[in-house]
Amino acid sequence: MRSAEESTDQSAQRLPAEVWVLVVASFVIAIGFGILAPALPSYAASFDVGVTAASIVISAFAFMRLAFAPVSGKLVTRFGERPIYLIGILIVALSTGACAFADSYWQLLLFRALGGTGSTMFTVSAVALLVRLSPPHLRGRASGLWGTGFLLGNVIGPIFGGVLVSISLKLPFLGYAAALVLAAFVAWLFLRRSTLAAPVKNDNGPVLTVREALKHRAYVASLASSFANGWAVFGVRVSLIPLFVSAVLLQQPSMAGWAMTVFAVGNAAMLLLAGWLADRQGRKPLVLIGLVISAIGTIWVGFTTSVPMFLASCLVAGLGAGLLNPPQNAAVADVIGNRGRGGPVLAGFQMAADVGAIIGPLAAGAIAETISYQAAFAVTGLLSLLAALVWLAAPETLPSKVEQAEEKAAESNRGVAVAAECGCLDEGPEVPLGARVAGKPRQPEA
């Protein structure tokens, strides 16, 4: 009897196989994105346009992600996560492949902008699937795994991208398109027969609106930290670090690449640990620590005068970002809950980061130009500290054991596990599923 209970407890600590499918798909997608990154500015400039016009091609993708995010959230709520996820990936694949055959700058701009719509579709739907598939007490680990897969892909991708660029500026676009098609095929193959990932029919569960979510202080705090993180990581770090390296440290542009790598190493080192700790110690403590460390590292960057100190500050900032993301994402998932449908809520969370990534480089760039780089990085770090103050007033969202038991009971009453094959990834390459708990398969054995 005890051995059976121990087996059940061990299975309860394992993520469903479908989560691992999403992790693998995110890794493949990120490799493709990394392949494209070194080529896009040069390819845009090859159409005999200036630096500003070439930059607009990059901004158009981010702008369309932001503009289409609310629509993506509604599509996920209406049609379910799985179909929107696959369609979104294929839209980006087709638009990216079309970029390789663009005859003019305006065609390139149009195709790249269309890709932004697909990008936000598969991002919102992937996070929504993670929310629905992950047990409440494993949401932090699921978020950490998904983020790690994406980060590692972004580190590996540019290696292949540099090789392809040396052959042709068009090859990275075709390589990214191929990687996206592969990711869509993998996701379709393993999720097509999964009842866990399938849209819930006759779902009478509550639809959490953005207005209702804004009544949760944890969601408001998550928006604040998402905005600050988008401003610092996806905006200022990409735009100001290369300029800081050249203007202040008087180093070659390649040093900016090393800085990005060091930041990524720190980030990757913390993601899995942060997810594990968030599921045990709570979301709020990890978010607060991550925001403070990120702020310290970011402010420190602006005051460095030597390469070793500069790289050390980038490492600290990366550690902070790695500590922040899994618990922050898990907190949003806790607000929505397994039984809720919160596509628009997830879209709003993503939009906060996108707005920060768009405004951050403009505002921080203006500060650096009119005042100093120290002031620009100080303002960026201050935003993380302000987000930490918002989090101080937020409640802890980690579900208690009682809440977890009630949620499992509610799912059982709604007939989540209605058949012996519920949650099975059948009809495809064999996947070891192991024991089942509440109708959910455990992850494959390593």
Side-chain angles (χ1 to χ4, degrees):
M1 182 68 178
R2 175 173 294 180
S3 61
E5 291 178 352
E6 290 176 353
S7 177
T8 299
D9 290 339
Q10 292 177 358
S11 299
Q13 297 301 316
R14 296 184 180 274
L15 290 166
E18 289 87 342
V19 171
W20 290 91
V21 173
L22 293 176
V23 171
V24 172
S26 74
F27 175 70
V28 175
I29 292 170
I31 287 179
F33 181 78
I35 289 174
L36 180 63
L40 185 56
S42 299
Y43 186 64
S46 70
F47 288 95
D48 294 326
V49 297
V51 176
T52 301
S55 300
I56 289 176
V57 173
I58 300 174
S59 299
F61 185 87
F63 177 78
M64 288 303 295
R65 272 179 54 90
L66 176 64
F68 202 74
V71 179
S72 298
K74 293 180 180 178
L75 289 174
V76 168
T77 301
R78 175 67 177 84
F79 298 104
E81 302 93 344
R82 186 173 61 184
I84 301 304
Y85 179 71
L86 295 174
I87 292 172
I89 294 177
L90 292 177
I91 288 176
V92 181
L94 291 173
S95 64
T96 303
C99 286
F101 301 98
D103 293 327
S104 67
Y105 168 80
W106 296 107
Q107 284 188 5
L108 175 63
L109 182 63
L110 174 62
F111 294 147
R112 190 61 182 153
L114 289 176
T117 64
S119 176
T120 193
M121 287 173 66
F122 76 69
T123 302
V124 171
S125 55
V127 176
L129 264 178
L130 282 176
V131 170
R132 185 156 67 86
L133 296 175
S134 304
H137 63 291
L138 297 179
R139 285 172 183 154
R141 269 166 277 188
S143 176
L145 276 172
W146 191 68
T148 300
F150 200 84
L151 181 64
L152 292 179
N154 271 304
V155 172
I156 296 173
I159 299 175
F160 297 99
V163 175
L164 295 177
V165 166
S166 65
I167 301 173
S168 170
L169 283 174
K170 295 180 181 290
L171 278 180
F173 292 89
L174 299 176
Y176 186 24
L180 288 166
V181 171
L182 176 61
F185 176 74
V186 169
W188 171 80
L189 186 65
F190 287 101
L191 298 181
R192 61 189 175 125
R193 299 295 181 182
S194 169
T195 52
L196 277 180
V200 181
K201 296 181 179 180
N202 300 321
D203 185 13
N204 296 319
V207 177
L208 184 64
T209 65
V210 175
R211 179 175 297 181
E212 292 171 338
L214 289 173
K215 297 178 182 178
H216 294 262
R217 286 176 294 169
Y219 181 69
V220 174
S222 296
L223 293 180
S225 55
S226 180
F227 174 80
N229 193 50
W231 178 302
V233 176
F234 304 113
V236 171
R237 187 160 303 277
V238 175
S239 62
L240 279 195
I241 286 293
L243 299 176
F244 180 82
V245 165
S246 300
V248 178
L249 298 181
L250 304 178
Q251 297 293 316
Q252 295 296 321
S254 59
M255 181 54 61
W258 283 108
M260 301 294 180
T261 301
V262 170
F263 178 88
V265 168
N267 201 326
M270 287 291 104
L271 282 173
L272 294 180
L273 176 62
W276 183 79
L277 289 174
D279 289 333
R280 286 179 170 267
Q281 305 299 325
R283 326 300 196 197
K284 183 176 176 178
L286 269 296
V287 170
L288 289 172
I289 294 173
L291 286 170
V292 172
I293 293 178
S294 180
I296 292 173
T298 302
I299 295 173
W300 186 13
V301 167
F303 290 89
T304 56
T305 56
S306 66
V307 171
M309 297 299 287
F310 170 66
L311 294 179
S313 65
C314 290
L315 178 63
V316 172
L319 294 172
L323 284 170
L324 167 65
N325 283 314
Q328 173 186 249
N329 295 340
V332 175
D334 294 337
V335 171
I336 297 172
N338 288 74
R339 287 170 287 160
R341 292 177 292 164
V345 175
L346 290 171
F349 175 66
Q350 175 190 294
M351 288 174 67
D354 287 340
V355 170
I358 293 172
I359 296 178
L362 299 176
I367 294 173
E369 188 173 15
T370 57
I371 304 177
S372 67
Y373 281 98
Q374 289 85 350
F377 284 106
V379 169
T380 301
L382 180 62
L383 286 176
S384 294
L385 294 178
L386 291 176
L389 291 178
V390 178
W391 266 98
L392 285 175
E396 175 59 61
T397 63
L398 177 65
S400 65
K401 293 183 178 180
V402 175
E403 291 171 332
Q404 294 174 27
E406 290 176 349
E407 187 157 359
K408 287 183 179 179
E411 287 182 352
S412 179
N413 292 335
R414 291 175 62 220
V416 173
V418 294
E421 69 274 11
C422 183
C424 181
L425 304 176
D426 56 358
E427 295 193 26
E430 183 177 355
V431 178
L433 299 179
R436 302 173 182 276
V437 178
K440 295 186 176 181
R442 73 182 189 180
Q443 73 183 57
E445 298 288 352

